[in-house]
Amino acid sequence: MKRSKAKINVVAALLQVDAKEGLGRLDEILGRLGPEKADVFVLHLANLLHDRGYETGFQGLPDYQNVKALSRFIQIVFSHIRLEDDPVREGTWTPDERDNAQGFRNELVKSLANLPRK
């Protein structure tokens, strides 16, 4: 797990400062993992980026917040944090990692929709 956590941290940092490199590294890592491990990797990555301001120390607009990077990143996240797997919640609950990943996934789409148009 330490090895995976280190890779997740590297990808998260790259996505924030060099999205092209980060997405390339993410594709490379996911290509070596089986489907279930890839889903878990993206789940943890989404959680880390969801808590970006608190846990990573990164502040400012991440480099992945542009049309080209978001278009690719959204595809990756949606393929691993699938809509059909979203838990149905009723009443009060405490969000877990899956809820945070789902929220991050949805925020990516909002970010793309809110980018200034040329």
Side-chain angles (χ1 to χ4, degrees):
M1 179 62 183
K2 283 185 180 183
R3 203 174 218 175
S4 281
K5 189 168 184 172
K7 288 179 182 179
I8 292 166
N9 288 331
V10 167
V11 171
L14 284 171
L15 286 168
Q16 292 174 96
V17 298
D18 185 348
K20 183 178 179 182
E21 178 70 22
L23 289 167
R25 182 79 56 96
L26 180 57
D27 280 334
E28 178 185 307
I29 291 168
L30 295 177
R32 290 193 311 253
L33 298 174
E36 289 179 22
K37 287 184 178 181
D39 289 351
V40 171
F41 190 94
V42 174
L43 175 89
H44 290 303
L45 176 64
N47 272 270
L48 183 59
L49 291 172
H50 176 68
D51 295 334
R52 172 177 67 87
Y54 305 106
E55 295 198 19
T56 66
F58 183 83
Q59 296 181 1
L61 189 64
D63 194 49
Y64 66 80
Q65 293 283 347
N66 66 72
V67 172
K68 188 172 183 176
L70 277 173
S71 297
R72 179 67 188 124
F73 196 25
I74 287 170
Q75 290 175 356
I76 293 169
V77 172
F78 267 80
S79 69
H80 295 281
I81 309 297
R82 292 173 290 281
L83 289 167
E84 61 269 18
D85 295 338
D86 287 356
V88 177
R89 308 282 194 197
E90 292 184 22
T92 305
W93 77 92
T94 301
D96 61 13
E97 281 190 316
R98 182 60 171 80
D99 293 306
N100 293 338
Q102 176 182 325
F104 178 75
R105 178 198 64 207
N106 296 339
E107 287 299 318
L108 288 176
V109 175
K110 288 179 190 174
S111 294
L112 182 60
N114 290 325
L115 285 175
R117 309 263 186 236
K118 289 187 177 182

Coordinates of all heavy atoms in Angstrom, one line a residue, residues 62-109:
P62 N -5.4 24.3 -10.1 CA -4.6 23.2 -10.6 C -4.5 23.2 -12.1 O -5.4 23.7 -12.8 CB -5.4 22.0 -10.2 CG -6.4 22.4 -9.2 CD -6.6 23.9 -9.4
D63 N -3.4 22.7 -12.6 CA -3.1 22.7 -14.0 C -4.1 21.9 -14.8 O -4.4 22.2 -16.0 CB -1.7 22.2 -14.3 CG -1.2 22.5 -15.7 OD1 -1.4 23.7 -16.2 OD2 -0.8 21.6 -16.4
Y64 N -4.8 20.9 -14.1 CA -5.7 20.1 -14.9 C -7.1 20.9 -15.1 O -7.9 20.3 -15.8 CB -6.0 18.8 -14.2 CG -6.7 18.8 -12.8 CD1 -8.0 19.0 -12.7 CD2 -5.9 18.7 -11.6 CE1 -8.6 19.1 -11.4 CE2 -6.5 18.8 -10.4 CZ -7.9 19.0 -10.3 OH -8.5 19.0 -9.1
Q65 N -7.2 22.1 -14.6 CA -8.4 22.9 -14.8 C -8.3 23.6 -16.1 O -8.4 24.9 -16.2 CB -8.6 23.8 -13.6 CG -8.8 23.2 -12.3 CD -10.3 22.7 -12.2 OE1 -11.1 23.1 -13.0 NE2 -10.5 21.9 -11.2
N66 N -8.2 22.9 -17.2 CA -8.3 23.5 -18.6 C -9.0 22.5 -19.4 O -9.2 21.3 -19.1 CB -6.9 23.8 -19.1 CG -6.0 22.6 -19.4 OD1 -6.3 21.8 -20.3 ND2 -5.0 22.4 -18.6
V67 N -9.6 22.9 -20.5 CA -10.4 22.1 -21.4 C -9.8 20.8 -21.8 O -10.4 19.7 -21.6 CB -10.9 22.9 -22.6 CG1 -11.7 22.0 -23.6 CG2 -11.8 24.1 -22.2
K68 N -8.6 20.9 -22.3 CA -8.0 19.6 -22.8 C -7.7 18.6 -21.7 O -8.1 17.5 -21.8 CB -6.6 20.0 -23.5 CG -6.0 18.8 -24.2 CD -4.8 19.3 -25.0 CE -4.2 18.1 -25.8 NZ -3.2 18.5 -26.7
A69 N -7.2 19.1 -20.6 CA -6.9 18.2 -19.5 C -8.2 17.7 -18.8 O -8.3 16.5 -18.6 CB -6.0 18.9 -18.4
L70 N -9.1 18.5 -18.6 CA -10.4 18.1 -18.0 C -11.1 17.1 -18.9 O -11.7 16.2 -18.4 CB -11.3 19.3 -17.7 CG -11.0 20.0 -16.4 CD1 -11.9 21.3 -16.3 CD2 -11.3 19.2 -15.2
S71 N -11.1 17.3 -20.2 CA -11.8 16.4 -21.1 C -11.2 15.0 -20.9 O -12.0 14.0 -20.9 CB -11.6 16.8 -22.5 OG -12.2 18.1 -22.7
R72 N -9.9 14.8 -20.8 CA -9.3 13.5 -20.6 C -9.5 13.0 -19.2 O -9.8 11.8 -18.9 CB -7.8 13.6 -20.9 CG -7.1 12.3 -20.7 CD -7.6 11.2 -21.7 NE -7.0 9.9 -21.4 CZ -7.7 8.8 -21.1 NH1 -9.0 8.8 -21.2 NH2 -7.1 7.7 -20.8
F73 N -9.3 13.9 -18.2 CA -9.4 13.5 -16.8 C -10.8 13.0 -16.4 O -11.0 12.1 -15.7 CB -8.9 14.7 -15.9 CG -8.6 14.3 -14.5 CD1 -8.2 13.0 -14.1 CD2 -8.7 15.3 -13.5 CE1 -7.9 12.7 -12.8 CE2 -8.4 14.9 -12.2 CZ -8.0 13.7 -11.8
I74 N -11.8 13.7 -17.0 CA -13.2 13.4 -16.7 C -13.5 12.0 -17.2 O -14.1 11.2 -16.6 CB -14.2 14.4 -17.3 CG1 -14.1 15.7 -16.5 CG2 -15.6 13.9 -17.4 CD1 -14.8 16.9 -17.1
Q75 N -13.0 11.6 -18.4 CA -13.2 10.3 -19.0 C -12.6 9.2 -18.0 O -13.2 8.2 -17.8 CB -12.5 10.2 -20.4 CG -13.2 10.9 -21.4 CD -12.4 10.9 -22.7 OE1 -11.3 10.3 -22.8 NE2 -13.0 11.4 -23.8
I76 N -11.4 9.5 -17.6 CA -10.7 8.5 -16.7 C -11.5 8.4 -15.4 O -11.8 7.2 -15.0 CB -9.3 9.0 -16.4 CG1 -8.4 8.9 -17.6 CG2 -8.7 8.1 -15.2 CD1 -7.1 9.6 -17.5
V77 N -11.9 9.5 -14.8 CA -12.6 9.4 -13.5 C -13.9 8.7 -13.6 O -14.3 7.9 -12.8 CB -12.7 10.8 -12.8 CG1 -13.5 10.8 -11.6 CG2 -11.3 11.3 -12.5
F78 N -14.7 9.1 -14.7 CA -16.0 8.5 -14.9 C -15.9 7.0 -15.2 O -16.8 6.2 -14.8 CB -16.8 9.2 -16.0 CG -17.6 10.3 -15.5 CD1 -17.1 11.5 -15.2 CD2 -19.0 10.1 -15.3 CE1 -17.9 12.6 -14.7 CE2 -19.8 11.1 -14.9 CZ -19.3 12.4 -14.5
S79 N -14.8 6.5 -15.8 CA -14.7 5.1 -16.0 C -14.3 4.3 -14.8 O -14.5 3.1 -14.8 CB -13.7 4.9 -17.2 OG -12.4 5.1 -16.7
H80 N -13.9 4.9 -13.8 CA -13.5 4.2 -12.5 C -14.4 4.6 -11.3 O -14.5 3.8 -10.4 CB -12.0 4.5 -12.2 CG -11.1 3.9 -13.2 ND1 -10.7 2.6 -13.2 CD2 -10.5 4.5 -14.3 CE1 -9.9 2.4 -14.3 NE2 -9.7 3.6 -14.9
I81 N -15.0 5.7 -11.4 CA -16.0 6.1 -10.3 C -17.3 6.2 -11.1 O -17.7 7.3 -11.5 CB -15.6 7.5 -9.7 CG1 -14.2 7.5 -9.2 CG2 -16.6 7.8 -8.5 CD1 -13.8 6.5 -8.1
R82 N -17.9 5.1 -11.3 CA -19.0 4.9 -12.2 C -20.3 5.4 -11.6 O -20.6 5.1 -10.4 CB -19.1 3.5 -12.7 CG -18.0 3.1 -13.6 CD -18.0 1.6 -14.0 NE -17.7 0.8 -12.8 CZ -16.5 0.5 -12.4 NH1 -15.4 1.1 -13.0 NH2 -16.3 -0.2 -11.3
L83 N -21.1 6.1 -12.4 CA -22.4 6.6 -11.9 C -23.3 5.4 -11.4 O -24.0 5.6 -10.4 CB -23.2 7.3 -13.1 CG -22.7 8.6 -13.5 CD1 -23.3 9.1 -14.8 CD2 -22.9 9.7 -12.4
E84 N -23.3 4.3 -12.1 CA -24.1 3.2 -11.7 C -23.7 2.6 -10.3 O -24.5 1.9 -9.7 CB -24.2 2.1 -12.8 CG -22.9 1.4 -13.1 CD -22.1 2.1 -14.2 OE1 -22.4 3.3 -14.6 OE2 -21.2 1.5 -14.8
D85 N -22.5 2.9 -9.9 CA -22.1 2.4 -8.6 C -22.3 3.4 -7.5 O -22.0 3.1 -6.3 CB -20.6 2.0 -8.7 CG -20.3 0.9 -9.6 OD1 -21.2 0.1 -9.9 OD2 -19.1 0.8 -10.1
D86 N -22.8 4.5 -7.8 CA -23.1 5.5 -6.7 C -24.1 5.0 -5.7 O -25.1 4.5 -6.1 CB -23.7 6.8 -7.3 CG -22.6 7.6 -8.1 OD1 -21.5 7.3 -8.1 OD2 -23.0 8.7 -8.7
P87 N -23.7 5.1 -4.4 CA -24.7 4.7 -3.4 C -25.9 5.6 -3.3 O -25.8 6.8 -3.6 CB -23.9 4.8 -2.1 CG -22.7 5.7 -2.4 CD -22.5 5.7 -3.9
V88 N -27.0 5.0 -3.0 CA -28.3 5.7 -2.8 C -28.4 6.0 -1.3 O -28.4 5.1 -0.5 CB -29.5 5.0 -3.4 CG1 -30.7 5.7 -3.1 CG2 -29.3 4.7 -4.8
R89 N -28.4 7.3 -1.0 CA -28.4 7.7 0.4 C -29.8 8.3 0.8 O -30.3 9.0 0.0 CB -27.3 8.7 0.7 CG -26.0 8.3 0.3 CD -25.3 7.3 1.2 NE -23.9 7.2 0.9 CZ -23.2 6.3 1.4 NH1 -23.7 5.3 2.1 NH2 -21.9 6.2 1.1
E90 N -30.3 7.9 1.9 CA -31.5 8.5 2.5 C -31.2 8.9 3.9 O -30.5 8.2 4.6 CB -32.6 7.5 2.4 CG -33.1 7.2 1.0 CD -34.3 6.2 0.9 OE1 -35.0 6.2 1.9 OE2 -34.4 5.6 -0.1
G91 N -31.8 10.0 4.3 CA -31.6 10.4 5.7 C -30.2 11.0 5.9 O -29.6 11.5 5.0
T92 N -29.7 10.9 7.1 CA -28.5 11.5 7.4 C -27.4 10.4 7.4 O -27.6 9.3 7.8 CB -28.5 12.0 8.9 OG1 -29.6 13.0 9.0 CG2 -27.2 12.7 9.3
W93 N -26.2 10.8 6.9 CA -25.1 9.8 6.8 C -23.8 10.6 6.9 O -23.8 11.8 6.6 CB -25.2 9.0 5.6 CG -24.7 9.6 4.3 CD1 -23.4 9.6 3.8 CD2 -25.5 10.4 3.4 NE1 -23.4 10.4 2.6 CE2 -24.6 10.9 2.4 CE3 -26.8 10.8 3.4 CZ2 -25.1 11.7 1.4 CZ3 -27.3 11.6 2.4 CH2 -26.4 12.0 1.4
T94 N -22.8 9.9 7.2 CA -21.4 10.5 7.2 C -20.8 10.1 5.8 O -20.7 8.9 5.5 CB -20.6 10.0 8.3 OG1 -21.3 10.3 9.6 CG2 -19.2 10.6 8.3
P95 N -20.3 11.1 5.0 CA -19.7 10.8 3.8 C -18.5 9.9 4.0 O -17.7 10.1 4.9 CB -19.3 12.2 3.2 CG -20.2 13.1 3.9 CD -20.4 12.6 5.3
D96 N -18.3 9.0 3.1 CA -17.1 8.1 3.1 C -16.3 8.4 1.8 O -16.6 9.3 1.1 CB -17.5 6.6 3.2 CG -18.3 6.1 2.0 OD1 -18.4 6.8 1.0 OD2 -18.9 5.0 2.2
E97 N -15.2 7.6 1.6 CA -14.4 7.8 0.5 C -15.1 7.8 -0.9 O -14.8 8.5 -1.8 CB -13.3 6.7 0.4 CG -12.1 7.0 1.4 CD -11.0 6.1 1.1 OE1 -11.2 4.8 0.9 OE2 -9.8 6.5 1.1
R98 N -16.1 6.9 -1.0 CA -16.8 6.8 -2.2 C -17.7 8.0 -2.5 O -17.7 8.5 -3.6 CB -17.7 5.5 -2.2 CG -18.5 5.3 -3.5 CD -17.6 5.1 -4.7 NE -18.2 4.7 -5.9 CZ -18.9 5.5 -6.7 NH1 -19.0 6.8 -6.5 NH2 -19.4 5.0 -7.8
D99 N -18.3 8.6 -1.4 CA -19.0 9.8 -1.5 C -18.1 11.0 -1.9 O -18.5 11.8 -2.8 CB -19.7 10.1 -0.2 CG -20.8 9.2 0.2 OD1 -21.7 8.9 -0.6 OD2 -20.7 8.6 1.3
N100 N -16.9 11.0 -1.3 CA -16.0 12.1 -1.7 C -15.5 12.0 -3.2 O -15.4 13.0 -3.9 CB -14.8 12.1 -0.8 CG -15.1 12.5 0.6 OD1 -16.2 13.1 0.9 ND2 -14.3 12.0 1.6
A101 N -15.3 10.7 -3.6 CA -14.8 10.5 -5.0 C -15.9 10.9 -5.9 O -15.7 11.5 -7.0 CB -14.4 9.1 -5.2
Q102 N -17.1 10.5 -5.6 CA -18.3 10.9 -6.4 C -18.5 12.4 -6.5 O -18.7 13.0 -7.6 CB -19.5 10.2 -5.8 CG -20.9 10.5 -6.4 CD -22.0 9.9 -5.6 OE1 -21.8 8.7 -5.1 NE2 -23.1 10.5 -5.5
G103 N -18.3 13.1 -5.4 CA -18.4 14.5 -5.4 C -17.3 15.2 -6.2 O -17.5 16.1 -7.0
F104 N -16.1 14.6 -6.1 CA -15.0 15.1 -6.9 C -15.3 14.9 -8.4 O -15.1 15.8 -9.2 CB -13.7 14.4 -6.6 CG -12.5 14.9 -7.4 CD1 -11.9 16.1 -7.2 CD2 -12.0 14.1 -8.4 CE1 -10.8 16.5 -8.0 CE2 -10.9 14.5 -9.2 CZ -10.4 15.7 -9.0
R105 N -15.8 13.7 -8.8 CA -16.1 13.4 -10.2 C -17.1 14.5 -10.7 O -17.0 15.0 -11.8 CB -16.7 12.0 -10.2 CG -17.2 11.6 -11.6 CD -18.1 10.5 -11.6 NE -19.4 10.8 -10.9 CZ -20.2 10.0 -10.2 NH1 -19.9 8.7 -10.2 NH2 -21.3 10.4 -9.7
N106 N -18.1 14.7 -9.9 CA -19.2 15.7 -10.3 C -18.6 17.1 -10.4 O -19.0 17.9 -11.3 CB -20.4 15.6 -9.4 CG -21.0 14.3 -9.4 OD1 -20.9 13.5 -10.4 ND2 -21.8 13.9 -8.4
E107 N -17.7 17.5 -9.5 CA -17.1 18.8 -9.5 C -16.2 19.0 -10.8 O -16.1 20.1 -11.3 CB -16.2 19.0 -8.3 CG -17.0 19.3 -7.0 CD -17.9 20.5 -7.1 OE1 -17.5 21.6 -7.6 OE2 -19.1 20.4 -6.7
L108 N -15.6 17.9 -11.3 CA -14.8 18.0 -12.5 C -15.7 18.5 -13.7 O -15.3 19.4 -14.5 CB -14.2 16.7 -12.9 CG -13.0 16.2 -12.0 CD1 -12.6 14.8 -12.5 CD2 -11.9 17.2 -12.1
V109 N -16.9 17.9 -13.8 CA -17.8 18.3 -14.8 C -18.2 19.8 -14.7 O -18.3 20.6 -15.6 CB -19.1 17.4 -14.9 CG1 -20.1 17.9 -15.9 CG2 -18.6 16.0 -15.2

